[in-house]
Amino acid sequence: MVITVGLVGNPNVGKTSLFNRLVGARQYVANWPGVTVTRIEGATTYKDQTLHFIDLPGIYTLSTTSIDEKVARDFLLYTPPNVTVVIIDSLSPEQGIYLLLETLELNLNVIAVFNVIDEAKKNGIKIDKSSLETHLRVPVVLTSAHTGEGIEQLFETILATFKKTNRAKLLDYGPEIESKVSELENCFDDIYNKRFLALKLIEGDKFARELLKKDVDVSSILDGSASNLAVKIAKTRYDYALNVLNSAMRKNENVLTSMEAIDHVFTHKYIGIPIFFALMYLAFNFTFKASEPLVGLIEAGFQKLTDVIGSSTMLTSLISQGIINGVGSVISFIPSIFALFFALGIMEESGYLPRIAFLMDKAMCSLKLTGRSFMTLLLGFGCNVSSVMAARGLSDERERVTTILVSPFVSCSARIPVYLMIIGIAFPNHKAEAFFVMYLLSIALTALSARIINKVVMKGESIPLVMELPRYRFPSLSNVATYMWNRGKHFLQKAGTIILVASIIVWGLSYFPDPTNIENSFAAMIGKGLQFIFAPLGFQWQTVSALLFGGAAKEIIVSSFAQFYGGIENIVIDPVIAATLMVFILGYIPCFATLAAIKSETNSLKYPIISVVYSLFISYVLALCVAVVGRMIL
Amino acid sequence: MKLSEAPTGVQVEVLHIEESDITPRLRGIGILPGIKIEVLKNAPMGDPRMYRVFSKVITLRNSEANLIEVQVSEDSPLPLTFVRPGDYKVEYIEGGKIARMNLASIGIVEGAVIRLLGDRRVQTDKGIYDVGFGKLSKVHVLPMKALFKADNAK
Amino acid sequence: MKSVTITLWIMLITSITIGIGYLFEDDVIFGIIIFIFSTVFLLGFRELGKPSYSYRIAHIYVGSILIVMTAGYILASFLFSLVNLIIGEEIMSLKISDMLLLLLGVYSSYNIYRLRKTAIRPEKKNN
């Protein structure tokens, strides 16, 4: 027997951490709203019962304005789970109870969970469980995903609720609304939950209108008063919620004092933005200083290994040059990548990121992007694929497509080794600065592209921003480690698959037909054949071939360079060409995985093609500017 | 008054919300007629702004906040520049020593009762003065009527 | 109130000194970063009027957090550079400004601890 359990709740109430607790998963829990855009599933067994948990996106209401809300609503409406757990933030329960009351209208087996009870206790909030149970007429469990309190009890309650057959009584909205509801109920087919749909129809949800019986006209029932009634419905729910809380909860006024203190400075009128840039710079500097010794250690290890194996025969050459040198040159940058994500993880964990969105919103707004899409783009620093996918959470179609199209310009982790390699060779004395500039440039290019795409491809007006600012919390080491691992493991997986294969292909192309001289290899022929295109930028054939292979995945550039020159330490690039090359690599083409994601998310071939053509064009132009200006200065 | 025009630090009560695509979400968050909202602070360029609804802190752009019609709660002190002519009690003065000294010299101190005249001049115990806009915005006051009510309630 | 102002002064002056120190040690950008963080203390003095007391505390609190992070960064870089001993390269040498920053970091963490205990906690606002 499988019991399905749906987890519903406001954004950022700790649904995902509770989910991790329940099924022992390792989903990363971000301290900003909108992390879960699709549903995440996981199973566990408790007392010989299989419990199948579904973590739904965070929502405020079951009326739908964006795709993540639709995912949650459709799931509850069309495939109702055996038990629905509504998770409520103990520190700000009003909105959670509103959602609970809405969920109850779906006539499901509901359990109300008051989460983060540990923090609530610390803040002097007292919650009377039995009083809540009497008023809400559903089982109530107090939990903390952080300490594990109440989890056992939640399992028990799920089993008990699952067996129960009598459903909770619903709210009464008063004679005026109730009469309209019963009239409207007749306009829906029996297969749906009629009361829920009737209420949603009054609330003005377009989706409910589509589910009406074919030849029914509701305009006579829903005359001009609908918006008034909608307010009345919401008001009834909130009044009920406030009444319940009044009797069941002793609350300390203004629990957010310490948050206010921190926010006062972090979102300060004058120094908020400088602090942000200073912290970003520290994060990048940390990436270098902390990882440099480890990178050196790994590089030295691989170097020893290649020397031992040698490259006299074809087989040893394949192993030492193709595999160890090719893949090893990429792997040795792993400490840097993990260090960067460690630093970014702390920022995200602490709840600082949404404040940046708040600070930068005005600037983003002039680019016709919201703070919300800014945060989506920040995901792209890990991998562009994830930011393309996360764009689903954006409610506005135009904004969603723009975000998807500009995502490839966000400098993803795959580009880190490439920059690190080039910077290490050409700018040994200004590593962090050069790296920081590349990231700034990446952000500028993203912004510029958003502007261009908005002007040329799509036209429309600005999009609303309704965002909740989460509480600050002290970043826990295990959470930061999970974040670091989830972002970085992708890189390791790629090293074992696509980069390994590509390295072997690159080795083959540079080994044959003349193993003694790489200048006569196939790779050199290809590179020299195409060199004329890049002549204005001053690239040599090695660079051209590496760029060509790197189209599949950016790390392959590093592995190709390492093989063409027989090791990273043998490469020589002068600073101007290095800068040109980095600027070109920043944008030149989205990797295969990103292109595939763009295609599946936009459901058309048009956008991947636009993306390739546009990015090649703009990065060539930018690189040319850098080359010309660079030569004038030096 | 629109929510976007309410000064920071005051508590406002929602009167009416203009219907739009995001109204269901605003309702879900708890922005409804009769609900009290606290205006917390502005972003660097004055947009978006932070508000507190129940215990959640949310941000709204001014373009959305414009949809929400509010009135300032009676028990929330307002800067003198925001109020209608009438009798007020000075709740607190937001300013340094010099500003306080200057204001004190014309009879505006914390706890004093003053009258704002129709031509925006201020009548205190010491006479009638023409006070600059900058200084007026530092003086936060409560209307005498509200205080009277509050006393009666006790 | 007085102790708050004194702490602000101490933090401001020491952090600016350390920033100047970094400028002299040719670490210009890092010096600028320290200056940015010291403006947090500087702007603490601008908080006047009624809620000034709590806002000044906020400036000390957040400024201290930033200093602790910077010091932690120096410490972490130093610890990681110990790995260099394995491959026989030099470890990072701590300069005078680094030492001072670490000391200030210790003092800042004491500040944070103290403020968490006393000033910054869920308390009723008095307006």
Side-chain angles (χ1 to χ4, degrees):
Chain A
M1 177 71 223
V2 179
I3 305 173
T4 53
V5 185
L7 304 182
V8 195
N10 289 162
N12 215 47
V13 292
K15 277 192 312 302
T16 308
S17 30
L18 197 65
F19 175 80
N20 284 351
R21 267 278 175 190
L22 290 169
V23 302
R26 295 195 131 257
Q27 284 294 332
Y28 172 66
V29 188
N31 193 10
W32 48 273
V35 184
T36 319
V37 281
T38 48
R39 55 194 224 204
I40 297 169
E41 307 188 16
T44 189
T45 45
Y46 184 80
K47 291 199 177 157
D48 302 329
Q49 296 272 22
T50 304
L51 299 176
H52 188 85
F53 287 96
I54 298 109
D55 181 21
L56 295 166
I59 49 174
Y60 290 106
T61 91
L62 292 173
S63 304
T64 44
T65 47
S66 77
I67 299 186
D68 45 355
E69 285 171 337
K70 195 168 153 12
V71 168
R73 200 257 342 260
D74 284 353
F75 175 77
L76 292 178
L77 190 63
Y78 296 126
T79 50
N82 301 123
V83 179
T84 308
V85 177
V86 179
I87 300 160
I88 296 164
D89 184 5
S90 303
L91 290 176
S92 56
E94 292 87 354
Q95 286 89 343
I97 293 185
Y98 181 89
L99 184 65
L100 173 77
L101 294 173
E102 257 194 304
T103 317
L104 282 175
E105 261 135 35
L106 278 167
N107 218 8
L108 304 163
N109 277 326
V110 174
I111 300 174
V113 164
F114 281 73
N115 201 18
V116 281
I117 192 72
D118 54 325
E119 275 187 57
K121 276 183 189 158
K122 246 186 247 165
N123 283 317
I125 295 175
K126 294 206 172 60
I127 296 175
D128 180 357
K129 199 180 122 187
S130 58
S131 161
L132 279 176
E133 276 178 343
T134 3
H135 287 102
L136 294 171
R137 297 195 185 96
V138 290
V140 173
V141 186
L142 309 179
T143 65
S144 161
H146 186 62
T147 61
E149 185 184 339
I151 300 291
E152 196 74 3
Q153 205 193 342
L154 178 57
F155 274 123
E156 290 288 343
T157 318
I158 289 173
L159 291 189
T161 315
F162 166 65
K163 288 171 199 148
K164 218 162 72 175
T165 45
N166 59 325
R167 305 282 159 99
K169 191 182 166 267
L170 305 175
L171 261 183
D172 190 335
Y173 291 102
E176 188 187 3
I177 294 170
E178 290 296 336
S179 69
K180 286 247 188 274
V181 167
S182 47
E183 261 182 272
L184 285 170
E185 275 180 349
N186 299 325
C187 306
F188 291 101
D189 284 322
D190 283 338
I191 48 167
Y192 302 117
N193 185 321
K194 296 200 274 189
R195 183 180 165 83
F196 174 77
L197 286 178
L199 283 167
K200 280 285 157 242
L201 194 62
I202 300 175
E203 284 180 75
D205 199 335
K206 288 183 196 104
F207 139 91
R209 202 165 273 270
E210 286 160 19
L211 290 183
L212 281 169
K213 276 187 202 161
K214 279 215 177 86
D215 43 338
V216 177
D217 186 25
V218 288
S219 51
S220 60
I221 311 172
L222 280 180
D223 42 26
S225 60
S227 96
N228 260 336
L229 293 182
V231 171
K232 216 174 247 171
I233 291 174
K235 194 101 178 64
T236 316
R237 289 186 193 136
Y238 260 110
D239 285 345
Y240 194 78
L242 292 177
N243 276 335
V244 169
L245 288 172
N246 254 338
S247 61
M249 205 163 148
R250 250 219 23 238
K251 215 172 158 185
N252 202 331
E253 279 304 301
N254 296 313
V255 281
L256 299 167
T257 327
S258 70
M259 168 173 156
E260 262 169 29
I262 300 175
D263 255 348
H264 174 74
V265 178
F266 273 143
T267 59
H268 195 279
K269 238 190 298 182
Y270 306 122
I271 46 175
I273 292 175
I275 288 179
F276 165 57
F277 281 108
L279 286 175
M280 279 317 259
Y281 177 80
L282 273 188
F284 286 120
N285 226 331
F286 175 77
T287 308
F288 278 95
K289 282 233 175 116
S291 66
E292 217 167 15
L294 292 173
V295 171
L297 189 67
I298 297 176
E299 262 174 5
F302 279 122
Q303 190 59 46
K304 278 253 162 62
L305 210 57
T306 16
D307 288 347
V308 169
I309 295 170
S311 56
S312 44
T313 68
M314 196 175 115
L315 185 69
T316 50
S317 169
L318 170 66
I319 294 172
S320 72
Q321 284 303 308
I323 297 174
I324 298 178
N325 191 7
V327 179
S329 58
V330 177
I331 287 187
S332 56
F333 288 109
I334 279 176
S336 313
I337 288 169
F338 277 79
L340 180 65
F341 286 130
F342 180 77
L344 292 180
I346 290 177
M347 278 197 195
E348 220 178 292
E349 252 301 284
S350 56
Y352 180 51
L353 278 193
R355 271 76 188 182
I356 301 170
F358 174 74
L359 286 174
M360 305 293 258
D361 187 71
K362 187 79 184 173
M364 295 302 283
C365 194
S366 61
L367 303 170
K368 300 271 188 286
L369 292 172
T370 54
R372 176 82 190 268
S373 69
F374 176 74
M375 293 195 293
T376 309
L377 287 173
L378 278 176
L379 272 182
F381 283 119
C383 174
N384 293 160
V385 174
S386 43
S387 70
V388 171
M389 306 275 271
R392 263 184 223 179
L394 301 168
S395 51
D396 183 271
E397 180 63 16
R398 191 188 55 81
E399 182 186 20
R400 195 176 74 91
V401 173
T402 311
T403 309
I404 288 175
L405 285 181
V406 300
S407 306
F409 294 108
V410 179
S411 218
C412 66
S413 65
R415 271 165 264 194
I416 298 173
V418 188
Y419 297 152
L420 291 179
M421 176 188 78
I422 300 171
I423 289 170
I425 296 162
F427 308 100
N429 299 325
H430 299 282
K431 287 184 180 173
E433 287 80 357
F435 200 48
F436 190 50
V437 166
M438 284 316 294
Y439 269 80
L440 286 185
L441 202 63
S442 152
I443 293 166
L445 189 56
T446 312
L448 177 77
S449 305
R451 190 93 193 120
I452 293 174
I453 289 172
N454 264 311
K455 269 259 149 66
V456 181
V457 187
M458 278 155 259
K459 293 184 179 89
E461 56 220 64
S462 86
I463 313 98
L465 166 85
V466 182
M467 185 178 65
E468 186 189 331
L469 293 178
R471 290 183 292 278
Y472 285 102
R473 64 182 185 207
F474 192 79
S476 78
L477 200 60
S478 76
N479 233 336
V480 174
T482 312
Y483 173 88
M484 189 169 84
W485 174 246
N486 276 1
R487 293 287 180 92
K489 74 171 177 207
H490 169 69
F491 192 80
L492 280 173
Q493 285 163 351
K494 270 163 93 186
T497 52
I498 183 165
I499 294 167
L500 178 65
V501 174
S503 293
I504 293 173
I505 294 172
V506 171
W507 171 82
L509 288 172
S510 49
Y511 191 79
F512 298 108
D514 179 7
T516 51
N517 189 355
I518 196 159
E519 291 290 325
N520 299 328
S521 65
F522 288 126
M525 288 177 210
I526 299 170
K528 283 170 184 163
L530 293 171
Q531 206 178 356
F532 70 96
I533 304 174
F534 296 99
L537 305 182
F539 293 168
Q540 286 174 306
W541 72 261
Q542 287 94 336
T543 315
V544 178
S545 302
L547 286 174
L548 188 69
F549 301 137
K554 302 273 161 46
E555 300 96 324
I556 298 172
I557 297 175
V558 173
S559 122
S560 307
F561 261 104
Q563 294 194 44
F564 295 154
Y565 287 96
I568 289 176
E569 61 285 349
N570 302 332
I571 307 173
V572 187
I573 310 178
D574 80 274
V576 175
I577 293 182
T580 316
L581 182 56
M582 284 201 291
V583 171
F584 189 73
I585 288 169
L586 171 62
Y588 82 110
I589 191 174
C591 69
F592 284 177
T594 310
L595 283 176
I598 294 177
K599 185 178 173 293
S600 68
E601 287 295 308
T602 57
N603 228 340
S604 86
L605 259 180
K606 186 175 114 195
Y607 292 113
I609 293 172
I610 291 180
S611 179
V612 170
V613 173
Y614 170 75
S615 55
L616 271 176
F617 171 75
I618 196 146
S619 46
Y620 193 91
V621 170
L622 274 180
L624 197 61
C625 293
V626 173
V628 170
V629 173
R631 265 179 228 139
M632 278 196 309
I633 296 170
L634 292 177
Chain B
M1 194 196 306
K2 307 265 191 239
L3 182 58
S4 54
E5 293 159 0
T8 53
V10 309
Q11 202 182 42
V12 296
E13 191 184 324
V14 179
L15 294 178
H16 173 75
I17 305 170
E18 217 171 289
E19 206 59 35
S20 79
D21 284 349
I22 58 156
T23 348
R25 191 178 295 186
L26 292 180
R27 282 203 291 261
I29 289 174
I31 301 180
L32 287 168
I35 296 293
K36 292 199 169 133
I37 299 179
E38 195 182 334
V39 185
L40 292 178
K41 71 187 296 186
N42 294 355
M45 314 278 273
D47 186 16
R49 309 208 303 163
M50 267 187 215
Y51 303 94
R52 174 155 44 225
V53 186
F54 300 119
S55 341
K56 279 197 202 297
V57 176
I58 58 155
T59 68
L60 284 180
R61 278 214 194 115
N62 287 348
S63 52
E64 279 89 59
N66 264 335
L67 299 171
I68 302 166
E69 186 74 27
V70 296
Q71 74 177 21
V72 175
S73 303
E74 278 190 340
D75 52 350
S76 174
L78 271 179
L80 253 186
T81 37
F82 266 92
V83 295
R84 285 165 208 276
D87 288 343
Y88 294 95
K89 180 174 169 234
V90 179
E91 270 297 299
Y92 61 93
I93 296 167
E94 192 184 75
K97 271 186 198 141
I98 299 167
R100 277 160 187 274
M101 260 162 55
N102 281 340
L103 286 169
S105 68
I106 56 168
I108 301 180
V109 289
E110 282 168 12
V113 176
I114 56 172
R115 173 173 290 170
L116 187 66
L117 301 175
D119 53 2
R120 294 273 137 192
R121 283 184 305 167
V122 181
Q123 185 179 14
T124 66
D125 299 345
K126 298 189 176 173
I128 297 177
Y129 297 95
D130 213 344
V131 186
F133 192 81
K135 277 204 189 101
L136 274 191
S137 68
K138 285 179 179 157
V139 181
H140 291 248
V141 294
L142 267 184
M144 288 304 283
K145 248 190 294 173
L147 287 172
F148 187 62
K149 259 190 224 161
D151 283 343
N152 274 1
K154 272 177 203 165
Chain C
M1 186 72 198
K2 205 147 210 169
S3 78
V4 171
T5 316
I6 290 170
T7 318
L8 265 181
W9 274 114
I10 294 175
M11 293 302 287
L12 178 65
I13 291 171
T14 37
S15 59
I16 287 184
T17 316
I18 292 170
I20 294 172
Y22 274 109
L23 289 190
F24 276 112
E25 284 169 5
D26 282 337
D27 207 343
V28 180
I29 296 186
F30 205 73
I32 292 173
I33 291 199
I34 302 281
F35 284 139
I36 291 176
F37 292 162
S38 60
T39 54
V40 173
F41 301 115
L42 187 67
L43 286 173
F45 290 109
R46 255 191 88 255
E47 302 291 344
L48 300 163
K50 194 187 166 206
S52 76
Y53 179 65
S54 60
Y55 279 146
R56 281 190 183 185
I57 291 176
H59 279 265
I60 296 178
Y61 188 62
V62 178
S64 299
I65 291 175
L66 291 171
I67 296 286
V68 167
M69 281 169 67
T70 325
Y73 149 78
I74 295 280
L75 191 67
S77 313
F78 176 73
L79 289 180
F80 273 108
S81 81
L82 291 179
V83 176
N84 270 348
L85 291 175
I86 304 175
I87 48 175
E89 277 181 42
E90 278 176 50
I91 58 168
M92 190 176 114
S93 57
L94 289 176
K95 285 175 257 172
I96 300 169
S97 318
D98 292 334
M99 292 300 206
L100 282 176
L101 185 59
L102 287 179
L103 282 181
L104 188 63
V106 174
Y107 176 63
S108 305
S109 40
Y110 164 70
N111 270 342
I112 296 172
Y113 170 79
R114 195 181 51 166
L115 290 176
R116 278 187 83 93
K117 269 262 151 114
T118 55
I120 299 193
R121 70 173 168 208
E123 58 188 336
K124 230 178 150 81
K125 253 194 330 191
N126 41 357
N127 58 345

